[in-house]
Amino acid sequence: MVERSEGDRNALLDVHFGEGDARTLAATRAHVEGCPRCRQYLRILSDVDGALREWADEAPPPDLAARVVSRATRLPHHAPARASVPSAMPLVVLVPVIAAFVVSIRQLAEWLAALPFWVVLEKWPTVQGAAPLGAAALVLFALGGLASLAAAPALVMESRR
Amino acid sequence: MEDRPDHALVADVARGDAAALRTLYLRYERPTFNLILRLAGDREMAQDMMQETFTRVWTMARTFRGDRGTFKGWLFTIALNLTRSELARKRRGSRHLAEDAVEELASQADGPDTLLQRSEVGRRVAAALAHMAPHLREVVVMKVYHQLKFREIADITKTPEGTLKARFHRAVAELRERLAPPRSGQP
């Protein structure tokens, strides 16, 4: 017995539900005329479809509308969101943040340069290239990364609530 | 208000208009209720999921994008996802129960309200659907009872059309067995 291919069966689904383009439907219908196996599958589709429709639509309880709408609208409504990209943040707020960041890098660089082992470190070519300011920026970056890692579990737990 | 298109009503809901939500609710109450009911098989749960679904519509209306699909598709996606989660939660809760114990619980869900609404044949169909795997039941319910195109079901379920059609064929094979009239001499 030759098995009907998935594509053939899908074409029969389209015929049963009247989906797809008219030309393909017409071609499938013409094929079905002379194919007992396809006619049989269409009959099965029709029988199962008909049996399922015996479960008619049910009416919701009459008071459901009032309950659902009143409870839903009691909750705080989310107003349309405004643009939240950083570019929308006023520069007035950004300037002191950037200034504080630059000052902290300079302070940290001075503190690093004053350390007794800095003279030894400066002999390394990579440290010479980085100089105290670069090294300070790296230290801040690393501290920021560590802080993010420390906060990650709490943030994950919060997002799963 | 009643004649306004869905997308205009959703825009009003996004601005906090409760009357617009009520109009949308009344427009889609019956199809949404019956979608959830046929997926869950339980009127009580369908009412709870209706509450959850329209609460989401109220709080998330601003995220609706009319250029990406219809309101009905968006609403059905919300209802489907909430029902899936609730069914999964219930399944996890009853994982330790034996198969016949689950069936007994399912029959207890047929309260007086259900018996009043559903014919004998309707109950047999409901039982046949309840025994199917949820991903097969979803495609059957949306296709047969809501006459959605496979492309629309693909958008709602985020599943390729070909996969949905393959599932439909499998569902037909299962339902044919379950809905066949009992042979004489069999219980």
Side-chain angles (χ1 to χ4, degrees):
Chain A
M1 194 166 105
V2 181
E3 269 297 306
R4 200 185 286 110
S5 79
E6 196 71 13
D8 294 343
R9 292 203 309 169
N10 289 350
L12 294 175
L13 268 189
D14 289 343
V15 166
H16 177 73
F17 290 112
E19 270 187 50
D21 67 282
R23 271 182 64 182
T24 314
L25 283 182
T28 312
R29 285 195 185 109
H31 164 81
V32 168
E33 289 292 314
C35 177
R37 294 183 66 234
C38 286
R39 280 207 304 276
Q40 188 198 1
Y41 193 63
L42 273 181
R43 259 198 308 276
I44 291 170
L45 284 177
S46 187
D47 288 349
V48 170
D49 193 322
L52 285 171
R53 283 169 204 267
E54 292 289 333
W55 183 5
D57 268 6
E58 295 186 18
D63 62 335
L64 188 62
R67 273 191 283 142
V68 167
V69 175
S70 75
R71 275 189 210 163
T73 52
R74 232 180 278 159
L75 286 172
H77 188 269
H78 294 197
R82 303 217 171 154
S84 58
V85 287
S87 62
M89 193 187 284
L91 275 177
V92 185
V93 180
L94 274 179
V95 168
V97 172
I98 294 168
F101 189 67
V102 170
V103 168
S104 57
I105 287 180
R106 284 181 65 98
Q107 291 284 334
L108 192 62
E110 281 172 18
W111 179 73
L112 278 175
L115 288 174
F117 59 84
W118 184 255
V119 185
V120 182
L121 284 175
E122 263 189 332
K123 288 176 186 163
W124 296 0
T126 44
V127 177
Q128 278 171 7
L133 273 178
L138 272 176
V139 168
L140 269 186
F141 187 74
L143 284 174
L146 283 174
S148 305
L149 275 178
L155 289 173
V156 168
M157 292 298 287
E158 184 65 25
S159 70
R160 283 187 180 172
R161 272 190 187 179
Chain B
M1 179 74 87
E2 273 69 25
D3 299 334
R4 301 189 63 208
D6 290 349
H7 62 86
L9 288 168
V10 185
D12 287 348
V13 172
R15 284 190 284 272
D17 184 345
L21 181 74
R22 186 176 164 75
T23 306
L24 277 174
Y25 178 88
L26 293 176
R27 198 172 282 177
Y28 289 103
E29 181 188 45
R30 206 172 171 104
T32 315
F33 179 79
N34 279 283
L35 171 75
I36 301 170
L37 177 65
R38 288 186 175 113
L39 294 176
D42 179 349
R43 285 182 65 86
E44 194 102 345
M45 186 173 149
Q47 292 177 50
D48 292 345
M49 291 299 102
M50 284 291 277
Q51 182 67 64
E52 292 293 320
T53 301
F54 280 88
T55 299
R56 291 283 170 98
V57 172
W58 173 252
T59 57
M60 305 299 289
R62 66 187 168 84
T63 65
F64 171 68
R65 295 281 307 269
D67 54 340
R68 292 199 188 151
T70 61
F71 171 73
K72 184 181 173 184
W74 186 65
L75 178 67
F76 274 24
T77 305
I78 296 173
L80 173 69
N81 289 338
L82 287 169
T83 308
R84 276 177 178 172
S85 302
E86 183 63 11
L87 287 173
R89 197 182 63 77
K90 287 199 166 182
R91 267 199 305 277
R92 280 197 299 274
S94 62
R95 195 164 38 188
H96 61 286
L97 292 176
E99 174 79 4
D100 44 350
V102 174
E103 290 206 11
E104 193 182 330
L105 280 177
S107 67
Q108 284 166 4
D110 286 354
D113 191 22
T114 303
L115 293 172
L116 200 71
Q117 291 276 344
R118 222 169 280 170
S119 67
E120 174 58 37
V121 189
R123 281 202 290 279
R124 211 155 66 86
V125 173
L129 282 173
H131 276 92
M132 293 177 80
H135 62 287
L136 301 185
R137 185 163 59 232
E138 286 171 10
V139 64
V140 166
V141 167
M142 282 189 254
K143 189 71 214 159
V144 173
Y145 297 105
H146 296 274
Q147 288 92 44
L148 295 175
K149 294 189 185 310
F150 280 109
R151 181 178 40 76
E152 294 171 309
I153 303 174
D155 283 343
I156 292 170
T157 59
K158 311 284 181 281
T159 308
E161 273 189 63
T163 307
L164 291 173
K165 286 180 175 176
R167 286 178 186 173
F168 195 91
H169 294 303
R170 274 177 55 201
V172 165
E174 280 189 25
L175 286 167
R176 197 178 165 220
E177 292 285 317
R178 293 196 188 281
L179 294 173
R183 294 187 196 109
S184 56
Q186 284 190 349

